[in-house]
């Protein structure tokens, strides 16, 4: 043991070994970050006020990519998904799941109805502005998404493709982490 210690103490400093050591650390850290961001978590910035007051403009959120591997998306979940009207598949949206596969969604007199029953939505920012009645029939394997700030949300009501296929859903939002003064869990 003492011989090893003496050998380490007598070994001269090698800049090449030091640089290689740092490169190795950086490569391992990058591989871990890539793995986590590709298979475990989804990190997203919310650029608009469509989810206010739940998620504010500019907030950053973390979602679990594993959540929907073990159970189906549920009404009320906040999800990160590929915007269905973007043919490149690069645009990500963050919205709340409102309609489930096989359900009807009606919006009448500023109220959302699921299969004819009014939906209790304590999370919405303010009542919706009156609009013409809307009717949607959610196909199997798809979901109907809306923002919490209904009067300022470009959501499924206005998209060309009204429904988000299950395989387009990336993650279930778990918490907001930025700005740091407003860190909070959103998975409730």
């Amino acid at each position: 043991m003492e011989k090893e210690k003496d050998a380490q103490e007598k070994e001269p400093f090698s800049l090449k070994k030091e640089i290689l050591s740092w490169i190795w650390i950086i490569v391992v850290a990058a591989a871990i970050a890539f793995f986590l961001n590709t298979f475990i978590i989804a990190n997203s910035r919310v650029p608009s006020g469509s989810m206010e007051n739940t998620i504010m403009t500019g907030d950053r959120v973390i979602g679990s990519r594993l959540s929907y591997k073990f159970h189906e998306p549920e009404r009320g979940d906040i999800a990160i998904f590929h915007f269905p009207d973007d043919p490149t598949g690069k645009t990500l949206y963050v919205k709340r799941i409102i309609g489930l596969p096989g359900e009807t969604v009606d919006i009448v007199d500023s109220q959302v109805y699921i299969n004819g029953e009014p939906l209790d939505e304590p999370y919405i920012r303010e009542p919706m502005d009156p609009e013409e009645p809307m009717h949607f029939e959610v196909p199997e394997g798809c979901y109907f998404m809306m923002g919490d700030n209904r009067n300022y949300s470009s959501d499924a009501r206005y998209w060309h493709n009204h429904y988000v296929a299950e395989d387009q859903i990336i993650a279930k939002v778990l918490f907001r982490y930025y700005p740091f003064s407003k860190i909070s869990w959103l998975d409730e």
Side-chain angles (χ1 to χ4, degrees):
M1 180 77 171
E2 206 166 294
K3 286 183 182 181
E4 282 181 31
K5 194 174 183 183
D6 288 341
Q8 287 177 351
E9 288 175 6
K10 292 180 183 178
E11 188 174 311
F13 175 77
S14 167
L15 181 62
K16 180 179 177 182
K17 284 185 179 180
E18 187 71 18
I19 291 172
L20 287 175
S21 170
W22 278 103
I23 290 172
W24 175 247
I25 290 168
I26 291 169
V27 167
V28 169
I32 291 169
F34 175 79
F35 175 80
L36 287 173
N37 202 37
T38 303
F39 300 107
I40 308 295
I41 64 168
N43 177 10
S44 186
R45 182 181 159 278
V46 180
S48 73
S50 69
M51 286 298 293
E52 291 181 1
N53 284 346
T54 308
I55 304 170
M56 304 304 284
T57 304
D59 283 358
R60 296 198 66 90
V61 295
I62 292 286
S64 168
R65 292 180 184 270
L66 298 177
S67 287
Y68 299 134
K69 301 288 185 211
F70 301 109
H71 68 82
E72 298 292 314
E74 297 176 5
R75 184 181 347 279
D77 288 355
I78 300 172
I80 301 170
F81 57 92
H82 293 283
F83 177 48
D85 286 349
D86 178 10
T88 68
K90 293 180 181 178
T91 304
L92 298 180
Y93 270 31
V94 175
K95 303 280 185 210
R96 191 174 297 273
I97 297 173
I98 300 298
L100 303 176
E103 293 183 334
T104 60
V105 178
D106 291 291
I107 303 169
V108 179
D109 295 330
S110 302
Q111 173 67 51
V112 176
Y113 295 87
I114 303 295
N115 297 330
E117 296 294 320
L119 181 61
D120 180 33
E121 299 184 285
Y123 43 76
I124 63 171
R125 181 175 184 165
E126 61 191 13
M128 283 187 282
D129 290 338
E131 297 180 299
E132 290 295 316
M134 297 180 179
H135 176 78
F136 303 95
E137 295 180 12
V138 185
E140 288 301 323
C142 294
Y143 295 84
F144 188 82
M145 312 292 211
M146 294 177 77
D148 289 358
N149 188 3
R150 301 287 163 78
N151 297 324
Y152 300 96
S153 178
S154 171
D155 54 38
R157 296 171 289 171
Y158 309 112
W159 302 337
H160 177 72
N161 298 299
H162 298 291
Y163 311 105
V164 176
E166 189 168 359
D167 64 357
Q168 291 178 308
I169 299 175
I170 295 172
K172 177 181 180 179
V173 173
L174 300 178
F175 64 93
R176 169 182 40 224
Y177 72 93
Y178 182 86
F180 299 116
S181 62
K182 295 183 178 178
I183 294 174
S184 62
W185 285 95
L186 300 172
D187 178 30
E188 297 173 2

